Amino acid sequence: MKPSLLNKLSRLSERLEEIDRLLAHEDVTRDMDQYRRLTREHADISPVVALYQEYRQLEQDLLTATDMLADPDLRELAEHELAEGKLRQQALEKSLQTALLPRDPRDERNIFLEIRAGTGGDESALFAGDLLRMYVRYAERQRWKVEVISESVSELGGYKEVIVKLIGQGAWSRLKFESGGHRVQRVPETEAQGRIHTSACTVAVMPEADEVAEVSLNPADLRIDTFRASGAGGQHINKTDSAVRITHLPTGIVVECQDDRSQHKNKAQAMSVLAARIMDRQLREQQAREAATRKSLIGSGDRSERIRTYNFPQGRMTDHRINLTLYKLDAIMDGDLDELLAALASEHQADQLAALGDA
């Protein structure tokens, strides 16, 4: 194992001892925030340190077995123990490298999922509706809750734009690589000649921001407008200024929400989406800086990047970032995304391991 990785593991072992001393102090619960941070950190690094201790013990066992080779009576036993020990050492090294990979602190967050129709007119809007159904069906399989935040329905069905919130453990970790351009190739229902058309939608996946810690919204930077909601909703919704539009002046980001009859609820939802968009912009800027020094196949954050093609005549889906093609488009469009998402996660982990090896 590389000396740099062994140094990291040694520092983690020392840190765990320090945390143990702090948690054993009689006054540790006086500051409950600090206590919770320490217990979370203890839970995070304990498994890694346990693997490291096992690795160090195995190194000692291998040295002992090597010394035994000099004794003719023990040579056969020593060779057997060395062979098994080296296999175990390789497995432990791989486990330790994986355990040292940086964890995304947002992995367990809820997410906002935005789908916007792009090139292709009505067919693009219909495809936006198909994509929404795909993600909702996947969310149902995960037993996540789905809340519609905002929607702009097209004349023939589908959506010009739709924003939903997916609430469930691990939502961000599962869907974080879905942002980008999604292209569809199929014969539209409105096509009389049976010609295949190509259209596209843009998907943006954003983790829900921590209201306290991550995004500070200065009231002076916000312009909040209220107006009457448009579209279906009954007489009540058209008689009151319940819809809310918030403009973040420094960035120009605009969020509208009009799905609830309560102006207060619409404002709260719009503020939540705004915070997520600002955090998402910060995240993409950070990823762009990192990409300048190291190119990553996954999670570039570039919304204009075409990441996937859905070819209906051939029944296939191709993810262009990892060159993965699956011939089960009907199942995918019905929310069967496990194989695809697992492949994306594996590629991301391989990229992280390569970066860790270069460290």
Side-chain angles (χ1 to χ4, degrees), residues 140-205:
E140 290 170 350
R141 291 168 185 250
Q142 307 304 312
R143 298 186 178 180
W144 296 343
K145 184 179 178 183
V146 180
E147 291 183 357
V148 176
I149 303 299
S150 177
E151 60 181 3
S152 176
V153 181
S154 69
E155 292 179 2
L156 295 181
Y159 299 93
K160 298 175 184 176
E161 176 185 330
V162 60
I163 305 174
V164 296
K165 183 178 181 181
L166 302 183
I167 304 168
Q169 187 174 13
W172 170 247
S173 67
R174 299 284 185 90
L175 296 176
K176 65 169 76 175
F177 303 125
E178 290 301 290
S179 294
H182 293 240
R183 184 177 68 171
V184 61
Q185 295 172 328
R186 65 184 178 187
V187 178
E189 295 178 9
T190 55
E191 170 57 58
Q193 303 298 321
R195 292 173 298 184
I196 296 174
H197 285 228
T198 298
S199 57
C201 292
T202 300
V203 172
V205 181

Side-chain angles (χ1 to χ4, degrees), residues 215-231:
V215 179
S216 177
L217 295 175
N218 185 346
D221 292 336
L222 304 177
R223 185 175 74 237
I224 301 177
D225 302 307
T226 58
F227 56 97
R228 291 188 181 182
S230 60

Side-chain angles (χ1 to χ4, degrees), residues 111 113-115 127-142 144 146 162 164 166 174-180 182 202-205 307-308 310 321 332-337 340-341 344:
I111 62 171
L113 174 72
E114 295 186 0
I115 304 173
F127 182 53
D130 293 337
L131 285 177
L132 176 63
R133 180 182 180 277
M134 178 183 78
Y135 289 121
V136 169
R137 292 287 291 120
Y138 178 74
E140 290 170 350
R141 291 168 185 250
Q142 307 304 312
W144 296 343
V146 180
V162 60
V164 296
L166 302 183
R174 299 284 185 90
L175 296 176
K176 65 169 76 175
F177 303 125
E178 290 301 290
S179 294
H182 293 240
T202 300
V203 172
V205 181
I307 64 169
R308 194 171 299 152
Y310 304 77
R321 296 166 295 177
I332 288 171
M333 297 308 296
D334 194 43
D336 183 5
L337 302 179
L340 168 62
L341 298 180
L344 289 165

Side-chain angles (χ1 to χ4, degrees), residues 297-350:
L297 288 173
I298 309 295
S300 66
D302 186 355
R303 297 284 183 263
S304 63
E305 177 190 11
R306 188 190 72 197
I307 64 169
R308 194 171 299 152
T309 296
Y310 304 77
N311 187 301
F312 278 75
Q314 297 180 18
R316 64 173 168 84
M317 181 285 309
T318 299
D319 193 290
H320 305 290
R321 296 166 295 177
I322 58 175
N323 296 319
L324 173 69
T325 296
L326 299 174
Y327 286 90
K328 56 173 193 177
L329 186 56
D330 288 346
I332 288 171
M333 297 308 296
D334 194 43
D336 183 5
L337 302 179
D338 287 335
E339 184 177 359
L340 168 62
L341 298 180
L344 289 165
S346 295
E347 190 73 27
H348 178 59
Q349 186 179 88

Side-chain angles (χ1 to χ4, degrees), residues 213-254:
E214 289 171 307
V215 179
S216 177
L217 295 175
N218 185 346
D221 292 336
L222 304 177
R223 185 175 74 237
I224 301 177
D225 302 307
T226 58
F227 56 97
R228 291 188 181 182
S230 60
Q235 295 179 349
H236 173 81
I237 199 166
N238 290 321
K239 287 183 178 179
T240 61
D241 291 342
S242 59
V244 175
R245 179 188 298 113
I246 301 178
T247 303
H248 186 244
L249 300 175
T251 62
I253 295 174
V254 180

